[in-house]
Amino acid sequence: MNRALQILIGLSGLLFLVMGLRWAVDPSGAAEGLGMPLMTGLAQSSQVGDVGGLFLSLGLMILFALVSGRAIWFQAAALLLLNIAIFRLLAWSLHGAALAAQMIGVEIVIALLLTGGARRLSEDA
Amino acid sequence: MLMILSLVAVSASAEPAASTGSPNIVLILADDLGFTDLGAYGSEMNTPTLDALARDGLLFANHHTPASCAPSRAMLLTGVDSHRAGVPNIPEMIPPDQKDQAHYQGVLGRNVVTLATLLQDRGYHTYIAGKWHLGSRPGELPSQRGFERTFILADSGADNWEQKPYLPIYEKANWFSDGQEAELPEDFYSSTFLTDQTIDFIQSQRSDGRPFFAYLPFQAVHIPVQAPQEFIDRYDGVYDVGWDSIREARHREAQRLGVIPAESQRVRMATTEDWDALTPEDQRYQAKRMAVYAGMVEAMDFNIGRLIDYLKQAGLYENTIIFFTSDNGAEASGQPNQGNLPSRLAASAQGYRTDYEDLGLKGSFNAIPPSFASAAVSPLAYYKFYAGEGGMRVPLIISGEPLDWQGQTTHAFTYVSDLAPTILELTGTPAPGRYRGGRAVEPMQGRSVMPLVSNPSGEVHPSDESIGYELAGNAALFRGNYKIVFNRGPIGDDRWHLYNIAMDPGETLDLAAREPALFQEMLGEYERYVVANQVLPVPADYDARVQVILNGLHARGAKAVLLGVLLFALTLPFLLFHRARNKSGQSGPAA
């Protein structure tokens, strides 16, 4: 059971690392993958910096969590993902954005996995 | 006639800045339009606007262009051979062996001066709305090549209904507006949108009274072949007779119109399938594919009509000269069985459907097969990419009130590089010499077609002048009425042939054995062309379609490899740490 959880969390960590690195290597493809155009000028700087940095950090946190066995890394990554899902819902309900149900679902599932990881895989548990 | 001479005289003697008397120039370029795809050339398609331009202007029956788009566009805008202009082939098809050479990048070189630059320096407003395909990086876009206002597609093609690439070699459809990446509107349809852009450009600056040069390179009728439903519906049932009947009917009509000699013959291409062997269901599907193509041609014609209506309402038409031509012959890349499962899966991978019901509409991929492409270029042999007349001979119409060509047809041999010198002469703009701004540049090689003003039955190129051509290993040399031609296999036979294309535009009778001296002399001329223009051979196993895929994989694969290396570099410390931790845990003292 713990092994399966480790693998699932590890794969999600690698996924976020790839998504983050893609903003550095192929920003237009990365933007398209998230349903947005690649912006220009200062907007592009913010887009590449914020989104790329967010995904890369998320991936690194998950790898730190798995390697160190510290619950705080699992929890930090889960918190980030839950907040992303919450802000997606806010964008939909308050500002007329599309309801990205699939993305929200993935984010919540991974956040739950990370919460489970904090309980079962960490040495602090 | 007097009007034209006085126009040229006024322009030539004018000050460096163009005056309000200088003619406006509209240069319209269709993409992959076949030789007989217009009514004026013998088509069954409804093209009233272009037919009217031909009735009021001069129809060119023996006009030639390279058989692929980017080389043709480079020559159109510079009047210089494609090899000298840095675009001997489209960049997507250039093999690695050739890509090592600076003049084989598929990007318009800095050693050539564009028509737009020359006209801008003359005081013209210069606009482009449509496909550029001569470079996509900063510094290579038309904003940096003499165009004042631009809205362009940098790629070889793209979807006509939305901002979407049509081939997996592109990550996205690369549109640019005034040098910046651009997004297309929700209600985009290429021919409508590009015409609107052109009208907006002209309208936004017309108050200052300066003349304009508007270059309008449509996406029509490049793949994906797509059209609005109302235009497709007009051809319901028209193509049920099959490709052979259409090819024959167009041949007869072109003969009747005097576009080609009455005694000319045609060959049947080996790639043409037996229409009668198809099931009724397959015939219905194939006919729909061509109906969409015809609808796309008519939609383009309709939008050219809108542009002309605007010019008339704005009082600009009387002083505007319109050029209409195609970049090469009809494209035959549609799979014969576009509707079968493998083709449907391939289209699906690119996010397209190929269902009969919505063929040509948004989300649908369509292309005509070789059999119908052969009808689109009737009665010529071969089609796009090949050096046969079907790939190289295209429509050209020059029209406008400042000219007084009234529905005449010329059989003079002309080449795409002749159009830039013609426009320079019409606008009184000096051609570039060997140096410009302290830098060596290529002088224009084409010849103005203006001698046809006084004598449409005369010639532009002397009968002893040789004009060489090479693209992806297919080659030709024109001299007077004669042409030697070489088409690579498997569709070509990898042999040189000699034809009299004035009498035999269908290239049916090889004269190489009958006129060996002329044949050898022209082969020698071609070798001199190869040396003078640094034409590189293609690898023996070169296949243009395979090369497109390989170049696409290389372009996209390089990013994937870099991503993999970075991922490995990032995860390696974690793996090493994890391994060391496990090891120390295992070797530790037992509890």
Side-chain angles (χ1 to χ4, degrees):
Chain A
M1 178 68 180
N2 283 0
R3 189 75 181 156
L5 192 60
Q6 264 181 333
I7 290 171
L8 283 173
I9 292 175
L11 285 175
S12 69
L14 287 177
L15 173 76
F16 288 128
L17 276 186
V18 169
M19 287 176 76
L21 287 172
R22 201 173 174 205
W23 280 96
V25 174
D26 177 22
S28 60
E32 198 177 352
L34 293 176
M36 60 175 106
L38 183 64
M39 295 168 177
T40 54
L42 184 61
Q44 187 181 35
S45 173
S46 299
Q47 190 184 23
V48 173
D50 293 359
V51 186
L54 170 75
F55 282 121
L56 196 71
S57 300
L58 204 45
L60 288 172
M61 281 182 199
I62 292 172
L63 291 192
F64 275 128
L66 287 172
V67 171
S68 68
R70 301 284 306 277
I72 191 76
W73 288 114
F74 288 104
Q75 289 157 350
L79 186 66
L80 256 179
L81 279 167
L82 279 176
N83 275 326
I84 291 170
I86 288 167
F87 269 78
R88 282 189 190 280
L89 289 168
L90 286 176
W92 167 67
S93 59
L94 300 180
H95 305 296
L99 177 62
Q102 200 177 348
M103 291 177 174
I104 293 170
V106 170
E107 285 152 5
I108 290 174
V109 166
I110 296 177
L112 291 174
L113 283 175
L114 289 166
T115 310
R119 289 187 175 185
R120 299 182 64 104
L121 302 177
S122 72
E123 291 169 359
D124 314 334
Chain B
M1 162 79 174
L2 279 175
M3 274 180 74
I4 302 163
L5 291 177
S6 59
L7 179 77
V8 171
V10 165
S11 300
S13 62
E15 294 299 311
S19 67
T20 49
S22 301
N24 305 308
I25 303 291
V26 174
L27 174 57
I28 303 170
L29 186 68
D31 200 330
D32 298 349
L33 189 78
F35 179 61
T36 47
D37 273 338
L38 302 181
Y41 281 80
S43 180
E44 70 291 336
M45 295 175 192
N46 186 35
T47 53
T49 309
L50 291 164
D51 296 348
L53 287 180
R55 274 197 305 277
D56 296 338
L58 184 62
L59 182 149
F60 289 71
N62 194 7
H63 179 67
H64 291 77
T65 176
S68 183
C69 63
S72 175
R73 287 156 202 265
M75 292 178 71
L76 175 70
L77 291 176
T78 65
V80 175
D81 181 88
S82 58
H83 299 82
R84 290 175 178 267
V87 194
N89 197 345
I90 60 172
E92 293 85 350
M93 279 186 180
I94 298 176
D97 296 1
Q98 295 181 337
K99 204 115 190 185
D100 295 338
Q101 302 296 316
H103 67 303
Y104 267 78
Q105 300 305 304
V107 172
L108 195 65
R110 282 281 164 190
N111 59 329
V112 287
V113 186
T114 69
L115 190 54
T117 298
L118 296 167
L119 290 173
Q120 191 175 43
D121 288 354
R122 175 95 177 113
Y124 273 69
H125 290 301
T126 52
Y127 312 126
I128 173 176
K131 176 172 147 184
W132 170 245
H133 202 205
L134 294 174
S136 57
R137 289 172 298 192
E140 299 170 353
L141 296 170
S143 311
Q144 281 80 49
R145 301 310 302 259
F147 286 96
E148 187 180 345
R149 297 296 314 277
T150 72
F151 201 110
I152 63 106
L153 172 66
D155 311 327
S156 64
D159 194 277
N160 292 281
W161 289 111
E162 55 190 317
Q163 191 156 2
K164 175 177 173 179
Y166 75 114
L167 288 175
I169 61 171
Y170 301 112
E171 290 175 11
K172 57 175 183 157
N174 293 292
W175 284 91
F176 293 88
S177 172
D178 294 329
Q180 301 296 318
E181 286 193 41
E183 284 183 64
L184 299 177
E186 280 295 310
D187 61 349
F188 176 79
Y189 176 69
S190 65
S191 295
T192 308
F193 177 80
L194 297 175
T195 304
D196 287 345
Q197 284 294 312
T198 303
I199 292 171
D200 286 350
F201 288 159
I202 297 170
Q203 179 66 19
S204 67
Q205 293 182 305
R206 61 176 281 226
S207 58
D208 66 10
R210 282 163 55 191
F212 64 82
F213 166 61
Y215 176 37
L216 176 51
F218 281 105
Q219 284 179 251
V221 277
H222 194 283
I223 58 172
V225 175
Q226 298 166 315
Q229 186 70 61
E230 62 267 32
F231 288 101
I232 299 172
D233 289 345
R234 295 174 194 183
Y235 297 92
D236 186 21
V238 170
Y239 297 103
D240 293 353
V241 293
W243 33 67
D244 287 310
S245 297
I246 296 296
R247 184 163 161 84
E248 181 182 357
R250 288 196 184 190
H251 186 182
R252 300 288 165 239
E253 184 63 6
Q255 286 174 323
R256 191 188 70 75
L257 292 168
V259 172
I260 55 166
E263 66 278 11
S264 63
Q265 303 293 310
R266 67 179 184 277
V267 293
R268 189 172 194 276
M269 290 294 293
T271 49
T272 300
E273 294 191 290
D274 182 359
W275 178 263
D276 295 329
L278 301 181
T279 64
E281 191 182 348
D282 283 343
Q283 287 182 349
R284 180 168 166 265
Y285 188 85
Q286 299 291 354
K288 177 75 180 281
R289 295 172 83 177
M290 190 63 182
V292 175
Y293 180 91
M296 195 174 189
V297 173
E298 186 172 338
M300 175 183 68
D301 181 273
F302 172 79
N303 280 290
I304 294 170
R306 284 204 306 120
L307 173 60
I308 290 173
D309 287 346
Y310 161 75
L311 293 173
K312 287 178 177 172
Q313 285 164 13
L316 297 166
Y317 186 73
E318 296 73 20
N319 195 32
T320 300
I321 297 170
I322 299 170
F323 290 69
F324 175 86
T325 188
S326 176
D327 62 345
N328 47 251
E331 178 160 6
S333 62
Q335 292 299 313
N337 300 309
Q338 182 179 270
N340 66 12
L341 187 60
S343 296
R344 292 168 76 94
L345 289 175
S348 174
Q350 192 65 12
Y352 280 116
R353 301 179 307 277
T354 56
D355 304 318
Y356 175 90
E357 284 71 22
D358 56 2
L359 203 61
L361 305 183
K362 192 171 184 175
S364 158
F365 188 90
N366 181 42
I368 59 170
S371 306
F372 264 131
S374 209
V377 300
S378 177
L380 310 177
Y382 293 91
Y383 21 70
K384 181 180 178 181
F385 298 128
Y386 291 93
E389 288 290 278
M392 297 187 70
R393 189 184 292 219
V394 293
L396 169 64
I397 296 166
I398 305 179
S399 189
E401 291 198 7
L403 306 170
D404 60 357
W405 286 321
Q406 293 295 323
Q408 299 186 69
T409 297
T410 178
H411 294 275
F413 172 85
T414 53
Y415 202 32
V416 64
S417 48
D418 298 333
L419 297 188
T422 303
I423 292 171
L424 292 187
E425 186 174 346
L426 277 167
T427 56
T429 308
R434 292 194 172 276
Y435 291 91
R436 185 178 170 83
R439 196 173 57 191
V441 296
E442 294 285 341
M444 288 191 173
Q445 296 168 297
R447 291 171 181 267
S448 168
V449 306
M450 292 309 285
L452 299 174
V453 169
S454 56
N455 180 20
S457 59
E459 59 186 22
V460 174
H461 295 271
S463 58
D464 61 349
E465 180 184 351
S466 292
I467 296 168
Y469 163 79
E470 187 275 345
L471 205 163
N474 298 316
L477 184 109
F478 299 90
R479 188 163 147 185
N481 292 337
Y482 292 93
K483 172 189 179 186
I484 55 168
V485 58
F486 179 97
N487 282 301
R488 298 180 76 243
I491 293 176
D493 61 3
D494 292 305
R495 291 176 53 207
W496 284 98
H497 300 274
L498 171 67
Y499 299 106
N500 179 331
I501 56 166
M503 302 303 296
D504 179 25
E507 296 172 314
T508 63
L509 182 63
D510 186 4
L511 302 172
R514 286 192 201 178
E515 300 196 46
L518 176 64
F519 185 51
Q520 289 305 320
E521 199 177 319
M522 290 180 73
L523 286 174
E525 283 290 322
Y526 178 75
E527 287 309 317
R528 281 189 278 282
Y529 166 79
V530 166
V531 173
N533 293 281
Q534 300 180 57
V535 177
L536 299 178
V538 292
D541 58 350
Y542 175 74
D543 182 317
R545 287 193 189 193
V546 172
Q547 196 61 55
V548 171
I549 296 167
L550 291 176
N551 286 353
L553 285 174
H554 182 260
R556 300 193 69 167
K559 287 181 182 173
V561 169
L562 181 58
L563 194 63
V565 169
L566 289 173
L567 186 64
F568 180 73
L570 266 180
T571 52
L572 186 63
F574 290 99
L575 289 171
L576 291 175
F577 179 76
H578 182 64
R579 199 173 164 188
R581 202 160 180 256
N582 278 353
K583 216 172 180 179
S584 63
Q586 285 166 6
S587 61

